[in-house]
Amino acid sequence: MTNTPPSPEQETVPDAFLTSAARRIPPAVYVAAALIAIGTAAFHVHSYWWSESLTLCDVMLRAEEGLVSLNVPLVRLAAKETPRSGFSICERSANGWKSGGEAGHARLRYWMASLDQVRCEGVMFADFGYWKGAWQSDARPGPFVVLFVPVWFVGLAALVGSLAVYFRVIRFRLHTLLIAMTLTAGVVYLLMLRADV
């Protein structure tokens, strides 16, 4: 009895050569992608009427007019001050954003268009950009930087992150959690450093 090699029609591709894209993607992935896309679109439209701000240790995450911005202080906390934390919602007004009848903050797009007049450093291109200020508050008496990206970019990052976790490109293990906790503790430590009296 002779061993004849299999014909090309009989050969099968080993599982190791199949990429994750070649495998059957379950419907749950499509549903999750659709929910992220719908949520991103709804939040984008919502951000033109309402502006939400989340502040932790004087670092502020804000959404407005289709943009998500991150305000990071570049100076130590003042000696006798405490860092701010909280959540606020502002309503759109004719001149900017207001909260509970009081003045809130200027619109980011308007501010970026008037950087030359206010003599601040910054740039904006395709809704990506930054601007740098000289004085944040009494608690942070010094410079700060505001980085911003469009809402759709945040939605895309959430989608890519979800797919990376689903296809196990990113795996949550104990050492990953310890690294994340160490980095978070380091950032909080830097934010809580106080200036000399």
Side-chain angles (χ1 to χ4, degrees):
M1 183 173 174
T2 60
N3 290 334
T4 58
S7 65
E9 292 82 13
Q10 295 174 337
E11 290 183 354
T12 58
V13 179
D15 289 341
F17 292 99
L18 289 176
T19 63
S20 59
R23 297 181 190 141
R24 184 175 179 275
I25 299 175
V29 173
Y30 294 111
V31 171
L35 289 175
I36 290 173
I38 292 169
T40 301
F43 187 71
H44 177 83
V45 173
H46 166 82
S47 68
Y48 280 87
W49 283 274
W50 300 93
S51 173
E52 291 86 7
S53 301
L54 176 65
T55 306
L56 294 171
C57 297
D58 292 327
V59 176
M60 181 170 25
L61 182 67
R62 176 181 286 162
E64 61 171 284
E65 294 186 335
L67 300 172
V68 176
S69 64
L70 181 67
N71 183 334
V72 182
L74 301 177
V75 67
R76 289 183 176 189
L77 187 65
K80 296 182 180 180
E81 298 288 339
T82 56
R84 291 184 309 139
S85 296
F87 179 77
S88 65
I89 300 176
C90 294
E91 183 182 3
R92 187 183 181 111
S93 65
N95 299 325
W97 301 96
K98 63 179 182 178
S99 177
E102 298 179 0
H105 57 275
R107 296 197 309 267
L108 182 56
R109 291 181 188 276
Y110 174 79
W111 182 261
M112 293 304 296
S114 62
L115 280 183
D116 293 337
Q117 299 172 5
V118 296
R119 297 180 181 177
C120 286
E121 176 188 346
V123 66
M124 180 176 185
F125 178 75
D127 287 349
F128 292 88
Y130 81 98
W131 73 274
K132 186 177 178 182
W135 182 275
Q136 180 168 347
S137 65
D138 291 337
R140 298 282 180 175
F144 62 97
V145 66
V146 178
L147 311 168
F148 55 90
V149 296
V151 169
W152 65 261
F153 183 79
V154 177
L156 181 64
L159 177 61
V160 170
S162 301
L163 291 176
V165 170
Y166 180 80
F167 288 112
R168 296 183 181 174
V169 175
I170 299 174
R171 296 181 181 179
F172 290 104
R173 297 179 181 164
L174 182 59
H175 68 86
T176 307
L177 180 62
L178 291 175
I179 291 171
M181 289 176 62
T182 303
L183 292 175
T184 303
V187 170
V188 171
Y189 171 76
L190 290 175
L191 290 171
M192 297 301 290
L193 285 176
R194 293 184 180 273
D196 297 331
V197 179

